[in-house]
Amino acid sequence: MKKLTLITTLAAGSLALAACGGSSDDGSSTDEIMIGSVHPLTGALAGVGALMNDGAKLAVDDINADGGIEALDGAQLTLGEGDSKGAADTGQSEAQRLIGDGAVALVGTYQSDVTTNVAAVAERSKVPLVIDVAVDDSILEQGYQYSFRIQPNATSMGTDGANDLIEMSEAAGKPVESVSYIHIEGAFGQSVFDAFKAEAEAQGVQVLKEVTYAGTNFTDATTQVREAASVNPDVIVATGYYPDSLLVAQAVNALQPDIDALYGVANGGFDDSAFPGDAGAAGQNVLSANYHYGATNDEVADIRQRFQEEFGKPMETASVLAYQSVRVIAQALEESGSTDPEELRNAIADIEVDDPLLAFDGPITFDETGQNENATVIVMQIQGDAVEQVFPEDFATSDVVYPTNQ
Amino acid sequence: MSDTVTGSQTRTEGRLRVPALPLGVTLAVVVALVGVYVFGQREAGLVTQSIATGLLLGGVYALVSVGLTLIFGVLGIVNFAQGAMLTLALYLVYTMTSSWGLPVYVATLIAIPVMYLFGVLVQTTLLNKLTLAGSHEGPMLITLGLSLLIANVLLMIYGGRPLKVGGSVDGSIHLFGAIASYERVIAFVGALLVALLLTVILRKTSFGMSIRAVSANAQGASLVGVDVSRIYGMTFGIGSACVAVAGGLMAPFLSLTPSVGEQFTILAFVIVVLGGLGSVGGAMVGGLVIGLVQTVGALYLPGTGSLILVFAVFVCVLFFRPQGIFGAKP
């Protein structure tokens, strides 16, 4: 009985505290504008989640240091931080909490299923959501008015990935004729694979085999790679996250199949700056078609350097996307001169970001579904300790090595 | 195989029942694998590869499970922190290799006593009182809390970016047309050695005798002068030392994140129940069987399908032989 009383008291106490916390923010004026950030800050994806949160934080600091939002009398931005824990329901409640705390817009969330839920909250609350990373096509197929995505979706990544491979191999004088595809199970791997396959086969490239693996309890890729290689493809294509992609690269290195290249599409490992060091010999010359920060852009170099100094870790592409998302919101605040969610939403829908921080073909503009019309993938390659941009030439920081076993 | 340490059963029964079963299980597995070769309609090399991979993987699974089964057999504690302790051992090895430049296997040797002490400390400070009082849910909640604590402290210190332990043995070995990296072969051999060593300790030493005595009847053991709480502490220590070995041996081929060990907790429970709660030999065989089911199964049921197969085996065992392969009949 005593226990029960204690629990009840504690619960009542914490409720009262929460209520106080909520009400103290109610009087906030326009000289502080809150942007809500929802990312996985704990759990298996905490690493990349923290990078993205830090990226958003740096963007807020940079804009404030630059004088804030001029159209709103130099109003300063603040970042409300939400931890999705990598779970869709937690992400949803965090988004709700941030909106309740007064966030005028949201950025997030890295995972497609979490983003699906957060987009629904944004729509219901009529608060714009700028998606930094989340690949699933279906998020924007709901007819939502308040969700916008900067990165390419799964279909365009699969399609562009196939296209780039074909063009690049032709340019290298060894056109690809057949591939085997290894991908992680689930919406992410499947949708990228489906788009790749459709485009590749439309252009006369055979997809000989599709090998899938589970996202959990995957600690050895030897069997999968061997199965993929058993049909003698020209190229093995891989879609997955960091740990599993590392295993795939290691297995390819151990088995030494007779292929022209290991080629990642929307791969979460092959263009990560930690990958060359972690994979060692297994990583050499691995190719990866993915959206990427603009390595040839001086401003990006400056931002990434300051990020490294402030947070002591390299700013990966996902983090640059979070930075970019905050900037899109800031520009919309500037253009609308209002924190009214409706006007903010309209400003984002009409926005044109001429100098994107990503290696994109054109300005960031959103179509009627909220998808960035000029989002593209480019091809990267691990050369020595570095991830170089190699294709197309406009973004190239180094020449491509193809076939990779030369 | 008289190394079953489950307390509630009499030792003689366990001893009488066991010998026929491992043979039967081995035979069944071999027949199943031959069946896969003959009727499986998969390239023979691919099957060999998946068997090699499965066995090597199973050895490591077994190593994680041995510690779990020992702790359960003697203390009656369902240790939910087993996976988190594995993570802790992995990060310990990572720190020693990256900061001090130690080779990974030397770091493992240092991690073993450190994790042993950690285990002793956890048992004596957090769990002993509850264990002695015979509480079941108390220790369970504490280990669950401990696993959350470990994961979040590691997240705070190291961040969540995947880390890699380097400086191991490169290269791989070809066996009957299958390929296996030296790192995995070393892990497998290490797992076998640890299981063997543990069996010898339990059967041949007076310390092992005390453990068995406490496991069989704690009250009786204390009456004849065995310091029960000391044995409890040491047993939890050995269980932790086992994951230190597992962590060190697995470090070269895992990407470290603060939650990397969690995926092994569930499988370890499956293996331990499959092998018979409290049986070291059972954990070894259970580990190998689960490793094989997972990888050979992946040839036919790719993706999550192979894990479903693992759990199907688990459910069948629970249904037809709830005490596990090596467990004595209740």
Side-chain angles (χ1 to χ4, degrees):
Chain A
M1 201 56 211
K2 240 183 196 169
K3 241 186 204 167
L4 196 68
T5 326
L6 183 70
I7 291 171
T8 325
T9 321
L10 278 176
S14 52
L15 268 178
L17 273 176
C20 288
S23 62
S24 68
D25 279 344
D26 280 351
S28 65
S29 58
T30 45
D31 47 349
E32 275 209 350
I33 302 168
M34 198 220 278
I35 294 173
S37 148
V38 181
H39 292 104
L41 302 179
T42 54
L45 295 169
V48 68
L51 281 178
M52 296 175 79
N53 194 59
D54 290 343
K57 212 185 300 178
L58 185 66
V60 164
D61 292 346
D62 283 356
I63 290 159
N64 288 341
D66 229 29
I69 306 296
E70 278 172 40
L72 291 164
D73 305 324
Q76 296 278 295
L77 295 180
T78 59
L79 195 71
E81 296 176 13
D83 177 11
S84 73
K85 296 189 166 70
D89 53 338
T90 314
Q92 182 169 6
S93 59
E94 283 292 271
Q96 254 150 0
R97 175 180 68 81
L98 290 166
I99 291 170
D101 285 354
V104 299
L106 299 172
V107 297
T109 73
Y110 190 68
Q111 292 155 282
S112 290
D113 55 342
V114 180
T115 310
T116 303
N117 280 19
V118 172
V121 172
E123 194 69 17
R124 226 180 304 136
S125 318
K126 299 199 181 304
V127 166
L129 161 70
V130 178
I131 299 166
D132 40 25
V133 178
V135 71
D136 196 350
D137 289 15
S138 69
I139 300 167
L140 294 181
E141 283 168 358
Q142 315 294 322
Y144 287 163
Q145 294 298 304
Y146 285 82
S147 292
F148 304 89
R149 169 161 54 197
I150 295 178
Q151 72 148 92
N153 64 16
T155 301
S156 78
M157 287 174 91
T159 311
D160 293 353
N163 236 329
D164 282 358
L165 175 64
I166 293 163
E167 279 181 32
M168 189 177 61
S169 61
E170 273 170 4
K174 200 145 192 313
V176 58
E177 284 165 10
S178 62
V179 305
S180 275
Y181 205 120
I182 301 177
H183 68 80
I184 194 165
E185 230 181 23
F188 164 49
Q190 194 64 45
S191 52
V192 176
F193 168 75
D194 289 342
F196 181 97
K197 186 178 183 203
E199 180 66 18
E201 292 188 341
Q203 297 204 35
V205 173
Q206 278 184 292
V207 179
L208 300 173
K209 209 165 188 83
E210 175 191 8
V211 183
T212 61
Y213 58 85
T216 53
N217 286 98
F218 187 65
T219 48
D220 190 337
T222 322
T223 315
Q224 282 75 12
V225 169
R226 191 163 177 150
E227 195 170 3
S230 66
V231 288
N232 294 317
D234 290 341
V235 171
I236 292 180
V237 188
T239 297
Y241 294 113
Y242 191 97
D244 35 297
S245 298
L246 187 56
L247 291 169
V248 168
Q250 283 167 338
V252 168
N253 186 52
L255 290 165
Q256 295 285 340
D258 183 23
I259 53 173
D260 290 341
L262 171 60
Y263 182 78
V265 178
N267 189 296
F270 293 168
D271 54 66
D272 190 293
S273 60
F275 200 85
D278 287 354
Q284 271 319 299
N285 293 339
V286 168
L287 291 160
S288 175
N290 211 341
Y291 55 88
H292 199 241
Y293 62 81
T296 48
N297 179 330
D298 291 339
E299 193 190 0
V300 177
D302 171 59
I303 292 168
R304 291 190 74 238
Q305 193 193 337
R306 286 188 292 113
F307 185 95
Q308 173 96 37
E309 281 162 13
E310 190 160 341
F311 301 105
K313 48 199 177 182
M315 190 180 195
E316 303 293 345
T317 301
S319 187
V320 176
L321 270 161
Y323 187 105
Q324 177 80 73
S325 303
V326 171
R327 251 207 196 171
V328 165
I329 295 167
Q331 186 176 330
L333 284 167
E334 205 70 79
E335 284 172 10
S336 68
S338 162
T339 56
D340 175 58
E342 185 68 33
E343 286 181 42
L344 190 57
R345 182 255 153 216
N346 292 338
I348 296 175
D350 296 335
I351 213 160
E352 186 172 328
V353 182
D354 289 323
D355 197 10
L357 305 172
L358 286 297
F360 287 161
D361 272 338
I364 295 175
T365 54
F366 298 107
D367 65 16
E368 69 282 359
T369 68
Q371 176 64 41
N372 176 8
E373 291 168 310
N374 293 309
T376 44
V377 301
I378 59 165
V379 181
M380 284 145 288
Q381 184 169 43
I382 297 174
Q383 298 182 352
D385 291 337
V387 177
E388 302 285 356
Q389 297 181 176
V390 293
F391 189 86
E393 219 166 294
D394 296 351
F395 298 111
T397 56
S398 179
D399 289 335
V400 64
V401 178
Y402 192 95
T404 56
N405 52 6
Q406 276 176 341
Chain B
M1 284 301 172
S2 60
D3 51 356
T4 308
V5 286
T6 309
S8 53
Q9 280 102 44
T10 58
R11 310 266 328 138
T12 14
E13 243 182 81
R15 207 172 275 158
L16 283 177
R17 292 197 55 81
V18 169
L21 257 165
L23 260 181
V25 170
T26 318
L27 213 64
V29 169
V30 170
V31 168
L33 292 180
V34 170
V36 172
Y37 272 112
V38 180
F39 305 107
Q41 296 177 333
R42 280 286 188 280
E43 185 201 329
L46 199 57
V47 180
T48 314
Q49 179 68 57
S50 67
I51 291 174
T53 310
L55 284 176
L56 293 178
L57 198 61
V60 185
Y61 283 172
L63 205 47
V64 185
S65 317
V66 163
L68 191 69
T69 207
L70 194 68
I71 290 172
F72 180 84
V74 177
L75 302 160
I77 293 176
V78 180
N79 184 19
F80 277 112
Q82 196 76 4
M85 290 189 332
L86 175 70
T87 317
L88 187 64
L90 279 161
Y91 273 89
L92 211 59
V93 169
Y94 168 80
T95 309
M96 285 190 273
T97 52
S98 65
S99 307
W100 303 348
L102 289 178
V104 59
Y105 297 117
V106 177
T108 308
L109 288 180
I110 300 176
I112 293 170
V114 175
M115 284 304 291
Y116 174 81
L117 287 178
F118 174 80
V120 172
L121 205 68
V122 167
Q123 176 63 31
T124 47
T125 55
L126 294 176
L127 295 168
N128 247 351
K129 229 180 189 170
L130 290 163
T131 319
L132 288 169
S135 161
H136 281 297
E137 60 273 22
M140 207 151 88
L141 291 175
I142 288 180
T143 56
L144 198 61
L146 185 67
S147 76
L148 291 173
L149 183 73
I150 291 174
N152 284 296
V153 168
L154 288 175
L155 183 62
M156 214 165 71
I157 300 174
Y158 294 92
R161 299 261 303 142
L163 300 172
K164 192 88 186 78
V165 173
S168 176
V169 196
D170 275 340
S172 40
I173 181 172
H174 291 257
L175 278 173
F176 310 110
I179 197 166
S181 68
Y182 287 130
E183 293 160 346
R184 286 174 199 272
V185 175
I186 291 172
F188 180 73
V189 173
L192 284 188
L193 285 180
V194 168
L196 204 67
L197 186 70
L198 215 56
T199 310
V200 169
I201 289 178
L202 283 175
R203 289 171 72 168
K204 303 285 181 195
T205 65
S206 65
F207 168 58
M209 177 112 97
S210 312
I211 290 186
R212 277 156 46 205
V214 169
S215 132
N217 184 341
Q219 202 175 16
S222 89
L223 283 176
V224 295
V226 177
D227 184 346
V228 173
S229 64
R230 192 169 143 265
I231 292 294
Y232 279 170
M234 290 168 95
T235 307
F236 205 95
I238 293 176
S240 315
C242 283
V243 290
V245 183
L249 292 176
M250 278 197 270
F253 49 85
L254 283 184
S255 296
L256 273 60
T257 60
S259 55
V260 63
E262 278 165 25
Q263 57 178 324
F264 294 98
T265 305
I266 298 287
L267 276 188
F269 278 122
V270 171
I271 289 163
V272 163
V273 173
L274 187 66
L277 282 164
S279 164
V280 173
M284 276 313 285
V285 174
L288 294 180
V289 169
I290 291 299
L292 279 174
V293 168
Q294 199 189 330
T295 51
V296 180
L299 288 179
Y300 299 96
L301 293 170
T304 319
S306 60
L307 284 177
I308 292 174
L309 212 57
V310 166
F311 291 114
V313 169
F314 178 57
V315 170
C316 283
V317 167
L318 280 183
F319 192 76
F320 293 110
R321 199 177 159 77
Q323 71 273 36
I325 303 172
F326 285 69
K329 213 172 190 176

